[in-house]
Amino acid sequence: MASILYHTETTSPDQTADLAVSIGQVLKAGDCLLLVGSVGAGKSLFARALIQSLQDTPEDVPSPTFTIVQTYETKLGDLWHCDLYRISSPHEVIELGLDDAMATAVTLIEWPKNLADLTPPDALTIRINDLGGDVRKLSFESTDADWAASLEKVFENAV
Ligand SMILES: Nc1ncnc2c1ncn2[C@@H]1O[C@H](COP(=O)(O)OP(=O)(O)O)[C@@H](O)[C@H]1O
Ligand SMILES: [Mg+2]
């Protein structure tokens, strides 16, 4: 069971974006973030802010709802932004090459439930709960001790 390492509330899209930028500062190649939350929670907004903060010239970051995978070149190397809502079997995950990417690239994955057994055990789950209006609760959960150390840096300085 993953335990909650940190949680916080944001009261605006900009605050969530700022938090995403801070998380981006502690990432390295091979890190996998699982973005969990209902439609409109802010998963894509979080991913967009994070991705753009890792680029010298920020690109457009469309929601991957229809393409399933969008890839980016970033300061940390390849980054994959995925939306697995329409994936129905782990076979498709392998066909996409996402299992390899999760080991080598930075991966940001919306609707990660559909990874099933392919979920990396050392991933960081970011759960976003829409508390109404512009208020969101974000929980950061992992079984991996390295994330506890990385997030300590983020929450000491930024939140
Ligand atoms: N505190 C907040 N954090 C993130 N998004 C927020 C917040 N308050 C309002 N929003 C709005 O919620 C929406 C989130 O959309 P999106 O990121 O596409 O959701 P998802 O990818 O989870 O379906 C955006 O329109 C954003 O402006
Ligand atoms: Mg989305």
Side-chain angles (χ1 to χ4, degrees):
M1 255 312 260
S3 54
I4 297 181
L5 300 170
Y6 287 91
H7 61 85
T8 189
E9 275 180 28
T10 63
T11 55
S12 70
D14 282 353
Q15 258 184 29
T16 299
D18 287 347
L19 184 55
V21 171
S22 311
I23 296 291
Q25 287 171 358
V26 299
L27 293 185
K28 57 184 189 315
D31 282 346
C32 177
L33 305 189
L34 309 177
L35 293 162
V36 177
S38 55
V39 173
K43 304 180 295 297
S44 292
L45 180 139
F46 187 99
R48 183 173 301 118
L50 193 161
I51 293 165
Q52 290 177 336
S53 76
L54 295 176
Q55 296 183 314
D56 290 325
T57 309
E59 283 176 69
D60 275 350
V61 177
S63 168
T65 310
F66 297 106
T67 54
I68 302 180
V69 176
Q70 302 278 150
T71 59
Y72 299 89
E73 281 292 314
T74 73
K75 293 174 192 171
L76 300 177
D78 288 339
L79 182 151
W80 288 42
H81 180 200
C82 309
D83 183 330
L84 303 185
Y85 188 78
R86 296 184 307 146
I87 288 275
S88 52
S89 88
H91 271 296
E92 291 176 61
V93 173
I94 292 167
E95 273 169 24
L96 288 166
L98 181 55
D99 57 331
D100 290 334
M102 288 189 294
T104 56
V106 174
T107 45
L108 310 181
I109 304 180
E110 302 185 36
W111 301 102
K113 194 160 61 91
N114 292 338
L115 286 173
D117 290 349
L118 296 174
T119 306
D122 59 352
L124 176 68
T125 296
I126 302 175
R127 202 176 295 282
I128 310 179
N129 281 314
D130 185 342
L131 300 185
D134 286 352
V135 184
R136 303 290 186 271
K137 179 180 177 190
L138 291 96
S139 307
F140 297 80
E141 308 170 13
S142 184
T143 53
D144 192 289
D146 286 352
W147 282 117
S150 298
L151 293 178
E152 193 183 341
K153 289 181 207 157
V154 170
F155 285 89
E156 263 177 14
N157 300 325
V159 186

